[in-house]
Amino acid sequence: TVIHEESTLGILREIYTSPLGIYEVLSLLFVFLEGFHYFALTILCLMVTSAISEVREIREHQHRLLHYAKGSSEVIVIRRDSSGRCVKSIIHSELLVPGDTIELTENMTIPADCVLLNSSCVVNEEALTGIGGEKFKQAIKVRDISVYKASPSSILMAGSSLLHMQTGLRAPTYAVVLLTGYSTTKGRLLRSVAFPNKAQVGFYGEA
């Protein structure tokens, strides 16, 4: 699923194919055919003004959503080269895949859902949960054989902000990528906003 910007024509089509939009158009035609031309003109002006305002509001919402969805940054990743050696490189976060090991730095935005491998850190998940405050995350426990069974206290969610790391002897802090793209917590949130389940409105059902 890809979030894209809807055209103005598409927005207007959705507005005026809804039960309320059809009702407005039929009311305008009825008033005009009855000979109330000035009244029909007034209704038409109100409809145009309302449509322009609604299209502008939807466009602004889509722009904010696309900006949040396409947020990309450079991240330090550790991968094996052709000779089997672990090599550090800097890539765009869009190129991360599950299983990659990344190096964390302070004040970075977590690019994917990850499991903390060593050390501990403090993150802010307000952008995802809407709840302010700092959360403490600790490294995965040795007894957790698979990172996919890690405790929530060891999982860093995509979109959260890394505020502070607690490392010994200035050692790097690493995390392994679990989920990327629209499979992450941030991705599911974006999909629920961009493609919400349509609510059953009583007025529309009766119309």
Side-chain angles (χ1 to χ4, degrees):
T1 304
V2 179
I3 298 176
H4 61 277
E5 185 175 351
E6 193 172 2
S7 65
T8 301
L9 184 60
I11 296 174
L12 291 174
R13 184 168 55 246
E14 287 187 5
I15 293 174
Y16 289 109
T17 54
S18 66
L20 185 58
I22 295 174
Y23 174 77
E24 290 179 352
V25 174
L26 292 177
S27 299
L28 175 63
L29 291 175
F30 176 77
V31 172
F32 181 80
L33 293 176
E34 286 294 317
F36 300 101
H37 298 158
Y38 289 107
F39 187 40
L41 181 61
T42 302
I43 295 177
L44 179 61
C45 292
L46 291 174
M47 289 176 60
V48 170
T49 304
S50 176
I52 292 174
S53 176
E54 191 166 352
V55 169
R56 183 180 300 173
E57 183 178 349
I58 292 175
R59 275 296 179 83
E60 290 178 355
H61 173 72
Q62 290 179 345
H63 287 162
R64 289 195 300 268
L65 193 63
L66 286 171
H67 177 74
Y68 183 65
K70 293 181 178 179
S72 177
S73 59
E74 292 185 339
V75 60
I76 302 174
V77 64
I78 303 171
R79 291 174 175 171
R80 293 186 182 276
D81 59 12
S82 57
S83 62
R85 295 180 303 173
C86 292
V87 179
K88 285 186 180 183
S89 59
I90 299 177
I91 64 173
H92 284 285
S93 56
E94 297 174 351
L95 301 178
L96 289 173
V97 296
D100 278 341
T101 300
I102 61 174
E103 183 176 328
L104 304 180
T105 57
E106 287 190 1
N107 300 319
M108 74 179 293
T109 299
I110 306 299
D113 284 0
C114 308
V115 171
L116 191 61
L117 296 180
N118 66 310
S119 182
S120 59
C121 62
V122 177
V123 298
N124 187 335
E125 299 176 349
E126 184 176 3
L128 300 171
T129 63
I131 302 175
E134 302 175 349
K135 287 193 175 182
F136 180 76
K137 300 289 183 177
Q138 58 185 358
I140 185 173
K141 293 181 172 57
V142 178
R143 64 172 178 271
D144 293 332
I145 300 176
S146 172
V147 293
Y148 295 98
K149 298 180 180 179
S151 168
S153 62
S154 301
I155 295 179
L156 307 174
M157 295 191 294
S160 56
S161 301
L162 182 57
L163 303 178
H164 179 67
M165 294 185 298
Q166 299 176 356
T167 58
L169 301 177
R170 297 183 179 179
T173 301
Y174 299 107
V176 62
V177 176
L178 286 181
L179 299 170
T180 60
Y182 289 104
S183 299
T184 63
T185 304
K186 174 184 174 180
R188 292 194 297 270
L189 176 63
L190 287 170
R191 283 189 297 175
S192 66
V193 174
F195 309 104
N197 295 326
K198 293 186 177 180
Q200 297 295 330
V201 181
F203 172 76
Y204 285 175
E206 294 174 0

